[in-house]
Coordinates of all heavy atoms in Angstrom, one line a residue:
M306 N 111.2 -28.3 -60.0 CA 110.4 -27.2 -60.5 C 110.1 -27.4 -61.9 O 111.0 -27.6 -62.7 CB 111.2 -25.9 -60.2 CG 110.4 -24.7 -60.7 SD 111.4 -23.2 -60.5 CE 110.4 -22.3 -59.5
I307 N 108.9 -27.3 -62.3 CA 108.5 -27.5 -63.7 C 108.1 -26.1 -64.2 O 107.3 -25.4 -63.6 CB 107.3 -28.4 -63.8 CG1 107.7 -29.8 -63.3 CG2 106.8 -28.5 -65.3 CD1 106.5 -30.8 -63.2
M308 N 108.7 -25.7 -65.3 CA 108.4 -24.5 -66.0 C 107.9 -24.7 -67.4 O 108.3 -25.6 -68.1 CB 109.7 -23.6 -66.1 CG 110.3 -23.2 -64.7 SD 111.7 -22.2 -64.9 CE 111.0 -20.7 -65.3
S309 N 106.9 -23.9 -67.7 CA 106.4 -24.1 -69.1 C 106.3 -22.7 -69.7 O 106.2 -21.7 -69.0 CB 105.0 -24.7 -69.0 OG 104.1 -23.8 -68.4
A310 N 106.4 -22.7 -71.0 CA 106.3 -21.5 -71.7 C 105.3 -21.6 -72.8 O 105.1 -22.7 -73.4 CB 107.7 -21.2 -72.4
T311 N 104.5 -20.5 -73.0 CA 103.5 -20.6 -74.0 C 103.9 -19.5 -75.1 O 104.4 -18.5 -74.8 CB 102.1 -20.2 -73.4 OG1 102.2 -18.9 -72.8 CG2 101.7 -21.2 -72.4
T312 N 103.6 -19.9 -76.3 CA 103.9 -19.0 -77.4 C 102.5 -18.5 -77.9 O 101.7 -19.3 -78.2 CB 104.6 -19.7 -78.5 OG1 105.8 -20.2 -77.9 CG2 105.0 -18.7 -79.6
Q313 N 102.4 -17.2 -78.0 CA 101.1 -16.7 -78.5 C 101.3 -16.5 -80.0 O 102.2 -15.8 -80.5 CB 100.8 -15.3 -77.8 CG 99.5 -14.8 -78.3 CD 99.2 -13.5 -77.5 OE1 99.9 -13.0 -76.7 NE2 98.0 -13.0 -77.7
V314 N 100.5 -17.1 -80.8 CA 100.5 -17.0 -82.2 C 99.5 -15.9 -82.6 O 98.4 -16.0 -82.3 CB 100.2 -18.3 -82.9 CG1 100.2 -18.2 -84.4 CG2 101.1 -19.4 -82.4
S315 N 100.0 -14.9 -83.4 CA 99.1 -13.9 -83.8 C 98.6 -14.2 -85.2 O 99.3 -14.7 -86.1 CB 99.8 -12.5 -83.8 OG 100.9 -12.5 -84.6
S316 N 97.4 -13.8 -85.5 CA 96.8 -14.0 -86.8 C 97.3 -12.9 -87.7 O 97.8 -11.9 -87.2 CB 95.3 -14.0 -86.7 OG 94.8 -12.7 -86.4
P317 N 97.2 -13.1 -89.0 CA 97.7 -12.1 -89.9 C 97.0 -10.7 -89.8 O 97.5 -9.7 -90.2 CB 97.4 -12.7 -91.3 CG 97.1 -14.1 -91.1 CD 96.7 -14.3 -89.7
N318 N 95.7 -10.7 -89.2 CA 95.0 -9.5 -89.1 C 95.3 -8.7 -87.8 O 95.0 -7.6 -87.7 CB 93.5 -9.8 -89.1 CG 93.0 -10.4 -90.4 OD1 93.6 -10.1 -91.4 ND2 91.9 -11.1 -90.4
E319 N 96.0 -9.3 -86.9 CA 96.4 -8.6 -85.7 C 97.6 -7.8 -85.9 O 98.5 -8.1 -86.7 CB 96.7 -9.6 -84.6 CG 95.5 -10.3 -84.0 CD 95.9 -11.2 -82.8 OE1 96.9 -10.8 -82.1 OE2 95.3 -12.2 -82.6
T320 N 97.6 -6.6 -85.2 CA 98.8 -5.8 -85.3 C 99.5 -5.8 -84.0 O 98.8 -5.9 -82.9 CB 98.4 -4.3 -85.7 OG1 97.5 -3.8 -84.7 CG2 97.8 -4.3 -87.1
S321 N 100.8 -5.6 -84.0 CA 101.5 -5.6 -82.7 C 101.4 -4.2 -82.1 O 100.9 -3.3 -82.8 CB 103.0 -5.9 -83.0 OG 103.6 -4.8 -83.6
V322 N 101.7 -4.1 -80.9 CA 101.6 -2.8 -80.2 C 102.5 -1.7 -80.9 O 102.1 -0.6 -81.0 CB 102.1 -3.0 -78.7 CG1 102.1 -1.6 -78.0 CG2 101.2 -3.9 -78.0
R323 N 103.6 -2.1 -81.4 CA 104.4 -1.2 -82.1 C 103.8 -0.6 -83.4 O 104.1 0.4 -83.8 CB 105.8 -1.8 -82.4 CG 106.7 -1.9 -81.2 CD 108.0 -2.6 -81.6 NE 108.1 -3.7 -80.7 CZ 108.4 -4.9 -81.0 NH1 108.6 -5.2 -82.3 NH2 108.5 -5.9 -80.2
D324 N 102.9 -1.4 -84.0 CA 102.3 -1.0 -85.2 C 101.1 -0.1 -85.0 O 100.6 0.5 -86.0 CB 101.8 -2.2 -86.0 CG 103.0 -3.1 -86.5 OD1 104.1 -2.5 -86.6 OD2 102.8 -4.3 -86.7
R325 N 100.6 0.0 -83.8 CA 99.4 0.8 -83.5 C 99.8 2.3 -83.3 O 100.9 2.6 -82.9 CB 98.7 0.3 -82.2 CG 98.2 -1.1 -82.4 CD 97.5 -1.5 -81.1 NE 97.1 -2.9 -81.2 CZ 97.1 -3.7 -80.2 NH1 97.3 -3.2 -78.9 NH2 96.8 -5.0 -80.3
P326 N 98.9 3.2 -83.7 CA 99.2 4.6 -83.5 C 99.3 5.0 -82.1 O 98.6 4.4 -81.2 CB 98.1 5.3 -84.3 CG 97.0 4.4 -84.3 CD 97.6 3.0 -84.3
G327 N 100.0 6.0 -81.7 CA 100.1 6.5 -80.4 C 98.8 7.3 -80.1 O 98.0 7.5 -81.0
I328 N 98.6 7.7 -78.8 CA 97.4 8.4 -78.4 C 97.3 9.7 -79.2 O 96.2 10.0 -79.7 CB 97.5 8.8 -76.9 CG1 97.6 7.5 -76.1 CG2 96.3 9.6 -76.5 CD1 96.3 6.6 -76.1
Q329 N 98.4 10.5 -79.4 CA 98.2 11.7 -80.1 C 97.9 11.5 -81.6 O 97.0 12.2 -82.2 CB 99.6 12.5 -80.1 CG 99.8 13.1 -78.7 CD 101.1 13.8 -78.7 OE1 102.0 13.7 -79.5 NE2 101.2 14.7 -77.7
E330 N 98.5 10.5 -82.2 CA 98.2 10.2 -83.6 C 96.7 9.6 -83.8 O 96.1 9.9 -84.7 CB 99.1 9.1 -84.2 CG 100.5 9.7 -84.3 CD 101.6 8.8 -83.7 OE1 101.2 7.7 -83.2 OE2 102.7 9.1 -83.6
F331 N 96.3 8.8 -82.8 CA 95.0 8.3 -82.8 C 93.9 9.3 -82.8 O 92.9 9.3 -83.6 CB 94.8 7.3 -81.7 CG 93.4 6.6 -81.7 CD1 93.2 5.5 -82.5 CD2 92.4 7.1 -80.8 CE1 91.9 4.9 -82.5 CE2 91.1 6.5 -80.8 CZ 90.9 5.4 -81.6
F332 N 94.1 10.3 -81.9 CA 93.0 11.4 -81.8 C 93.3 12.6 -82.7 O 92.4 13.5 -82.7 CB 93.0 11.9 -80.3 CG 92.3 10.9 -79.4 CD1 93.0 10.2 -78.5 CD2 90.9 10.7 -79.5 CE1 92.4 9.3 -77.6 CE2 90.3 9.8 -78.6 CZ 91.1 9.1 -77.7
N333 N 94.3 12.6 -83.5 CA 94.6 13.8 -84.3 C 93.5 13.9 -85.4 O 93.2 13.0 -86.1 CB 96.0 13.6 -85.0 CG 96.4 14.8 -85.7 OD1 96.1 15.9 -85.3 ND2 97.2 14.7 -86.8
G334 N 92.9 15.1 -85.4 CA 91.9 15.4 -86.4 C 90.5 14.9 -86.1 O 89.6 14.9 -86.9
T335 N 90.3 14.3 -84.9 CA 89.1 13.7 -84.6 C 88.2 14.6 -83.6 O 88.8 15.5 -83.0 CB 89.2 12.3 -83.9 OG1 89.9 12.5 -82.6 CG2 90.0 11.3 -84.7
S336 N 87.0 14.3 -83.5 CA 86.1 14.9 -82.5 C 85.8 13.8 -81.5 O 85.6 12.6 -81.8 CB 84.8 15.4 -83.2 OG 85.1 16.4 -84.1
V337 N 85.7 14.2 -80.2 CA 85.5 13.2 -79.1 C 84.2 13.6 -78.4 O 84.0 14.8 -78.1 CB 86.7 13.3 -78.2 CG1 86.5 12.3 -77.0 CG2 88.0 12.9 -78.9
F338 N 83.4 12.6 -78.0 CA 82.2 12.8 -77.2 C 82.4 12.2 -75.9 O 82.7 11.0 -75.8 CB 81.0 12.3 -78.0 CG 79.7 12.4 -77.2 CD1 79.1 13.6 -77.1 CD2 79.1 11.3 -76.6 CE1 77.9 13.8 -76.4 CE2 77.9 11.4 -75.9 CZ 77.3 12.7 -75.8
I339 N 82.3 12.9 -74.8 CA 82.5 12.4 -73.5 C 81.3 12.5 -72.7 O 80.7 13.6 -72.6 CB 83.7 13.1 -72.7 CG1 85.0 13.0 -73.5 CG2 83.8 12.6 -71.3 CD1 86.1 13.8 -73.0
T340 N 80.8 11.4 -72.1 CA 79.7 11.4 -71.1 C 80.3 11.3 -69.8 O 81.3 10.6 -69.6 CB 78.7 10.3 -71.4 OG1 79.4 9.0 -71.2 CG2 78.1 10.4 -72.8
G341 N 79.7 11.9 -68.8 CA 80.3 11.8 -67.4 C 81.5 12.6 -67.2 O 82.3 12.4 -66.4
G342 N 81.6 13.7 -68.0 CA 82.8 14.5 -68.0 C 83.0 15.4 -66.8 O 84.0 15.9 -66.5
T343 N 81.9 15.5 -66.0 CA 82.0 16.3 -64.8 C 82.4 15.5 -63.6 O 82.6 16.0 -62.5 CB 80.6 17.0 -64.5 OG1 79.6 16.0 -64.4 CG2 80.3 18.0 -65.6
G344 N 82.4 14.2 -63.7 CA 82.8 13.3 -62.6 C 84.3 13.3 -62.5 O 85.1 13.9 -63.3
F345 N 84.8 12.5 -61.6 CA 86.3 12.5 -61.3 C 87.0 11.9 -62.6 O 87.9 12.6 -63.1 CB 86.6 11.6 -60.1 CG 88.1 11.4 -59.9 CD1 88.8 12.5 -59.4 CD2 88.7 10.2 -60.2 CE1 90.2 12.3 -59.2 CE2 90.0 10.1 -60.0 CZ 90.8 11.1 -59.5
L346 N 86.6 10.7 -63.0 CA 87.4 10.1 -64.2 C 87.2 10.9 -65.4 O 88.1 11.1 -66.2 CB 86.9 8.7 -64.4 CG 87.4 7.7 -63.3 CD1 86.8 6.3 -63.6 CD2 88.9 7.7 -63.2
G347 N 86.0 11.4 -65.6 CA 85.7 12.2 -66.8 C 86.5 13.5 -66.9 O 87.0 13.9 -67.9
S348 N 86.6 14.2 -65.8 CA 87.4 15.4 -65.7 C 88.9 15.1 -66.0 O 89.6 15.9 -66.6 CB 87.2 16.2 -64.5 OG 87.6 15.4 -63.3
V349 N 89.4 14.0 -65.4 CA 90.8 13.6 -65.7 C 91.0 13.2 -67.1 O 92.0 13.6 -67.7 CB 91.2 12.4 -64.7 CG1 92.6 11.9 -65.1 CG2 91.2 12.9 -63.3
L350 N 90.1 12.5 -67.7 CA 90.2 12.2 -69.1 C 90.1 13.5 -70.0 O 91.0 13.6 -70.9 CB 89.0 11.3 -69.6 CG 88.8 11.0 -71.1 CD1 90.0 10.2 -71.6 CD2 87.5 10.3 -71.3
L351 N 89.2 14.4 -69.7 CA 89.2 15.6 -70.4 C 90.5 16.4 -70.3 O 91.0 16.9 -71.3 CB 88.0 16.5 -69.9 CG 87.8 17.8 -70.5 CD1 87.5 17.7 -72.0 CD2 86.7 18.6 -69.8
E352 N 91.0 16.5 -69.1 CA 92.3 17.2 -68.9 C 93.4 16.6 -69.7 O 94.2 17.3 -70.4 CB 92.6 17.2 -67.4 CG 93.9 18.0 -67.1 CD 95.1 17.1 -67.1 OE1 95.1 15.9 -66.9 OE2 96.2 17.7 -67.3
K353 N 93.5 15.3 -69.7 CA 94.5 14.6 -70.4 C 94.4 14.7 -71.9 O 95.4 15.0 -72.6 CB 94.5 13.1 -70.0 CG 95.7 12.3 -70.4 CD 96.9 12.7 -69.7 CE 98.1 11.8 -69.9 NZ 99.3 12.3 -69.3
L354 N 93.2 14.6 -72.4 CA 93.0 14.8 -73.9 C 93.4 16.2 -74.3 O 94.1 16.4 -75.3 CB 91.6 14.5 -74.3 CG 91.2 13.0 -74.2 CD1 89.7 12.9 -74.5 CD2 92.0 12.2 -75.2
I355 N 93.0 17.2 -73.6 CA 93.2 18.6 -74.0 C 94.7 18.9 -73.8 O 95.3 19.6 -74.7 CB 92.4 19.6 -73.1 CG1 90.9 19.5 -73.5 CG2 92.9 21.0 -73.3 CD1 90.0 20.3 -72.7
R356 N 95.4 18.4 -72.8 CA 96.8 18.7 -72.6 C 97.7 17.9 -73.5 O 98.7 18.5 -74.0 CB 97.1 18.3 -71.2 CG 97.9 19.3 -70.4 CD 98.2 18.8 -69.0 NE 97.3 19.4 -68.0 CZ 97.5 20.5 -67.4 NH1 98.6 21.2 -67.7 NH2 96.7 21.0 -66.5
C357 N 97.4 16.7 -73.8 CA 98.3 15.8 -74.6 C 98.0 15.6 -76.0 O 98.8 15.1 -76.8 CB 98.4 14.4 -73.9 SG 99.0 14.5 -72.2
C358 N 96.8 16.0 -76.4 CA 96.4 15.8 -77.8 C 95.9 17.1 -78.5 O 94.7 17.3 -78.7 CB 95.3 14.7 -77.9 SG 95.7 13.2 -77.1
P359 N 96.8 17.9 -78.8 CA 96.4 19.2 -79.4 C 95.8 19.1 -80.7 O 95.2 20.1 -81.2 CB 97.8 20.0 -79.5 CG 98.8 18.9 -79.5 CD 98.3 17.8 -78.7
G360 N 95.9 18.0 -81.4 CA 95.3 17.8 -82.7 C 93.8 17.4 -82.7 O 93.2 17.2 -83.8
I361 N 93.2 17.3 -81.5 CA 91.8 17.0 -81.5 C 91.0 18.2 -82.0 O 91.2 19.3 -81.7 CB 91.3 16.7 -80.0 CG1 91.9 15.4 -79.5 CG2 89.8 16.7 -79.9 CD1 91.5 15.0 -78.1
K362 N 90.1 17.8 -82.9 CA 89.3 18.9 -83.6 C 88.3 19.5 -82.6 O 88.3 20.7 -82.4 CB 88.6 18.3 -84.8 CG 88.1 19.4 -85.7 CD 87.3 18.9 -86.9 CE 87.7 17.5 -87.5 NZ 86.9 17.1 -88.6
K363 N 87.5 18.7 -82.0 CA 86.5 19.2 -81.1 C 86.3 18.2 -80.0 O 86.4 17.0 -80.2 CB 85.1 19.4 -81.8 CG 85.1 20.6 -82.7 CD 83.7 20.9 -83.2 CE 83.8 22.1 -84.1 NZ 82.5 22.6 -84.4
V364 N 85.9 18.7 -78.8 CA 85.5 17.8 -77.7 C 84.1 18.2 -77.3 O 83.8 19.3 -77.0 CB 86.4 18.0 -76.4 CG1 85.9 17.2 -75.3 CG2 87.8 17.6 -76.8
Y365 N 83.2 17.2 -77.4 CA 81.8 17.4 -77.0 C 81.6 16.8 -75.6 O 82.1 15.7 -75.4 CB 80.8 16.7 -78.0 CG 80.9 17.3 -79.3 CD1 81.7 16.8 -80.3 CD2 80.1 18.4 -79.7 CE1 81.7 17.3 -81.6 CE2 80.1 19.0 -80.9 CZ 80.9 18.4 -81.9 OH 81.0 19.0 -83.1
L366 N 81.0 17.5 -74.7 CA 80.8 17.1 -73.3 C 79.4 17.1 -72.9 O 78.7 18.1 -73.0 CB 81.6 18.0 -72.4 CG 81.8 17.7 -71.0 CD1 82.6 16.4 -70.8 CD2 82.5 18.8 -70.2
L367 N 78.9 15.9 -72.6 CA 77.5 15.8 -72.1 C 77.4 16.2 -70.7 O 78.0 15.5 -69.8 CB 76.9 14.4 -72.4 CG 75.5 14.2 -71.9 CD1 74.5 15.0 -72.7 CD2 75.2 12.7 -72.0
V368 N 76.7 17.2 -70.3 CA 76.5 17.7 -68.9 C 75.1 17.8 -68.6 O 74.3 18.4 -69.4 CB 77.2 19.0 -68.7 CG1 77.1 19.5 -67.3 CG2 78.7 19.0 -69.1
R369 N 74.7 17.3 -67.5 CA 73.2 17.4 -67.1 C 73.1 18.1 -65.8 O 74.1 18.1 -65.0 CB 72.6 16.0 -67.0 CG 73.3 15.1 -66.0 CD 72.7 13.7 -66.1 NE 73.4 12.8 -65.1 CZ 73.0 12.6 -63.9 NH1 72.0 13.2 -63.4 NH2 73.7 11.8 -63.1
P370 N 72.0 18.7 -65.5 CA 71.8 19.3 -64.2 C 71.8 18.2 -63.1 O 71.3 17.1 -63.3 CB 70.5 20.0 -64.3 CG 69.8 19.4 -65.4 CD 70.8 18.8 -66.3
K371 N 72.3 18.5 -61.9 CA 72.4 17.5 -60.8 C 72.5 18.3 -59.5 O 73.2 19.3 -59.4 CB 73.6 16.6 -61.1 CG 73.6 15.5 -60.1 CD 74.8 14.6 -60.4 CE 75.0 13.5 -59.4 NZ 76.1 12.7 -59.7
K372 N 71.9 17.8 -58.5 CA 72.0 18.3 -57.1 C 71.7 19.8 -57.0 O 72.5 20.5 -56.4 CB 73.3 17.9 -56.5 CG 73.6 16.4 -56.4 CD 74.9 16.1 -55.8 CE 75.1 14.6 -55.7 NZ 76.5 14.3 -55.2
G373 N 70.7 20.2 -57.7 CA 70.4 21.6 -57.6 C 71.3 22.6 -58.4 O 71.2 23.8 -58.2
K374 N 72.2 22.0 -59.2 CA 73.1 22.9 -60.0 C 72.8 22.8 -61.4 O 72.5 21.8 -62.0 CB 74.6 22.4 -59.8 CG 75.1 22.5 -58.4 CD 76.6 22.1 -58.3 CE 77.1 22.2 -56.9 NZ 78.5 21.7 -56.8
E375 N 72.8 24.0 -62.0 CA 72.5 24.1 -63.5 C 73.7 23.5 -64.3 O 74.8 23.4 -63.8 CB 72.2 25.5 -63.9 CG 70.9 26.0 -63.3 CD 69.7 25.2 -63.7 OE1 69.6 24.9 -64.9 OE2 68.8 25.0 -62.9
I376 N 73.5 23.3 -65.6 CA 74.5 22.8 -66.4 C 75.7 23.7 -66.5 O 76.8 23.2 -66.4 CB 73.9 22.5 -67.9 CG1 72.8 21.4 -67.8 CG2 75.0 22.2 -68.8 CD1 72.0 21.3 -69.0
T377 N 75.5 25.0 -66.7 CA 76.6 25.9 -66.8 C 77.4 25.9 -65.5 O 78.7 26.0 -65.6 CB 76.1 27.3 -67.2 OG1 75.1 27.7 -66.2 CG2 75.5 27.4 -68.5
E378 N 76.8 25.8 -64.4 CA 77.5 25.8 -63.1 C 78.4 24.6 -63.0 O 79.6 24.7 -62.6 CB 76.5 25.9 -62.0 CG 77.2 26.1 -60.6 CD 76.1 26.2 -59.5 OE1 74.9 26.2 -59.8 OE2 76.6 26.2 -58.3
R379 N 77.9 23.5 -63.4 CA 78.7 22.2 -63.3 C 79.8 22.2 -64.3 O 80.9 21.8 -64.1 CB 77.8 21.0 -63.6 CG 76.8 20.8 -62.5 CD 76.0 19.5 -62.6 NE 77.0 18.4 -62.3 CZ 76.8 17.1 -62.7 NH1 75.8 16.8 -63.5 NH2 77.7 16.2 -62.4
F380 N 79.5 22.8 -65.5 CA 80.6 22.9 -66.5 C 81.7 23.8 -66.1 O 82.9 23.5 -66.2 CB 80.0 23.4 -67.8 CG 81.0 23.6 -68.9 CD1 81.4 22.5 -69.7 CD2 81.5 24.8 -69.2 CE1 82.3 22.6 -70.7 CE2 82.5 25.0 -70.3 CZ 82.9 23.8 -71.0
N381 N 81.4 25.0 -65.5 CA 82.4 25.9 -65.0 C 83.2 25.3 -63.9 O 84.4 25.6 -63.7 CB 81.7 27.2 -64.6 CG 81.2 28.0 -65.7 OD1 81.7 27.9 -66.9 ND2 80.2 28.8 -65.5
E382 N 82.6 24.4 -63.0 CA 83.3 23.8 -62.0 C 84.5 22.9 -62.5 O 85.5 22.8 -61.8 CB 82.4 22.9 -61.1 CG 81.5 23.8 -60.2 CD 80.5 22.9 -59.4 OE1 80.5 21.7 -59.6 OE2 79.8 23.5 -58.6
I383 N 84.3 22.4 -63.7 CA 85.4 21.6 -64.2 C 86.7 22.4 -64.4 O 87.8 22.0 -64.1 CB 85.0 21.0 -65.6 CG1 83.8 20.0 -65.5 CG2 86.2 20.3 -66.3 CD1 83.2 19.6 -66.8
F384 N 86.5 23.6 -64.9 CA 87.7 24.5 -65.1 C 88.2 25.2 -63.9 O 89.2 25.9 -63.9 CB 87.3 25.4 -66.3 CG 87.1 24.7 -67.6 CD1 85.8 24.5 -68.0 CD2 88.2 24.2 -68.3 CE1 85.6 23.8 -69.2 CE2 88.0 23.5 -69.4 CZ 86.7 23.3 -69.9
D385 N 87.4 25.1 -62.8 CA 87.8 25.8 -61.5 C 88.7 24.8 -60.7 O 89.3 25.3 -59.7 CB 86.6 26.3 -60.7 CG 86.0 27.4 -61.4 OD1 86.6 28.1 -62.2 OD2 84.8 27.6 -61.1
S386 N 88.7 23.5 -60.9 CA 89.4 22.6 -60.1 C 90.9 22.6 -60.4 O 91.3 23.0 -61.5 CB 88.8 21.2 -60.3 OG 89.2 20.7 -61.6
P387 N 91.7 22.3 -59.4 CA 93.2 22.4 -59.6 C 93.8 21.5 -60.7 O 94.8 21.8 -61.2 CB 93.7 22.1 -58.2 CG 92.6 21.5 -57.5 CD 91.4 21.8 -58.1
V388 N 93.1 20.4 -61.0 CA 93.7 19.5 -62.0 C 93.1 19.8 -63.4 O 93.5 19.2 -64.4 CB 93.3 18.0 -61.6 CG1 93.8 17.0 -62.6 CG2 93.9 17.7 -60.2
S389 N 92.2 20.7 -63.5 CA 91.5 20.9 -64.7 C 92.4 21.6 -65.7 O 93.3 22.3 -65.4 CB 90.3 21.8 -64.4 OG 90.6 23.1 -64.1
P390 N 92.0 21.4 -67.0 CA 92.7 22.1 -68.1 C 92.2 23.6 -68.2 O 91.2 23.9 -67.7 CB 92.2 21.4 -69.3 CG 90.9 20.8 -69.0 CD 91.0 20.5 -67.5
S391 N 93.0 24.4 -68.7 CA 92.6 25.8 -68.9 C 91.7 25.9 -70.1 O 91.9 25.1 -71.1 CB 93.7 26.8 -69.1 OG 94.9 26.1 -69.5
P392 N 90.6 26.7 -70.1 CA 89.7 26.7 -71.2 C 90.4 27.2 -72.5 O 91.3 28.0 -72.4 CB 88.7 27.8 -70.8 CG 89.0 28.1 -69.3 CD 90.3 27.5 -69.0
I393 N 90.0 26.6 -73.6 CA 90.5 27.0 -74.9 C 89.6 28.0 -75.5 O 88.4 27.8 -75.6 CB 90.7 25.7 -75.7 CG1 91.6 24.8 -75.1 CG2 91.1 26.1 -77.1 CD1 91.8 23.4 -75.8
N394 N 90.2 29.0 -76.0 CA 89.3 30.0 -76.7 C 89.3 29.7 -78.2 O 90.1 29.3 -78.8 CB 89.9 31.4 -76.5 CG 89.9 31.8 -75.0 OD1 88.9 31.4 -74.3 ND2 90.8 32.6 -74.6

């Protein structure tokens, strides 16, 4: 059996995973723009950001009318689903 090992050499500009900020620190004080937020992945992303990153300044959500539903109806459906975050006042 032949085994080989490779060594990854990092350049001086690369940072290791330990040097990178966590999700909460990365989004702290930022505004986030989400497209597709009414879809499955978008609603999960929105829920996770609201729940886990309380330091987010604002979340902008692009919502368009679709399948005979108005924008406000689609937006409200996000917060009616069981996995959805509770609305922030």
Side-chain angles (χ1 to χ4, degrees):
M306 176 185 239
I307 299 173
M308 297 180 76
S309 65
T311 58
T312 305
Q313 185 176 4
V314 179
S315 61
S316 68
N318 294 333
E319 285 186 32
T320 58
S321 71
V322 173
R323 285 181 235 128
D324 296 336
R325 295 182 189 150
I328 298 294
Q329 289 180 340
E330 292 129 6
F331 181 81
F332 285 108
N333 190 31
T335 63
S336 295
V337 180
F338 178 74
I339 300 174
T340 61
T343 57
F345 176 74
L346 289 178
S348 61
V349 171
L350 172 65
L351 178 62
E352 183 270 334
K353 192 68 171 173
L354 287 174
I355 290 174
R356 228 179 260 271
C357 296
C358 302
I361 289 180
K362 196 184 325 182
K363 289 190 180 191
V364 176
Y365 295 94
L366 188 62
L367 178 65
V368 180
R369 62 185 175 91
K371 185 178 177 185
K372 296 181 184 175
K374 293 183 182 178
E375 293 298 318
I376 295 169
T377 53
E378 187 178 356
R379 292 189 74 204
F380 179 79
N381 290 332
E382 285 177 356
I383 296 170
F384 295 103
D385 290 338
S386 70
V388 178
S389 68
S391 22
I393 297 176
N394 296 328

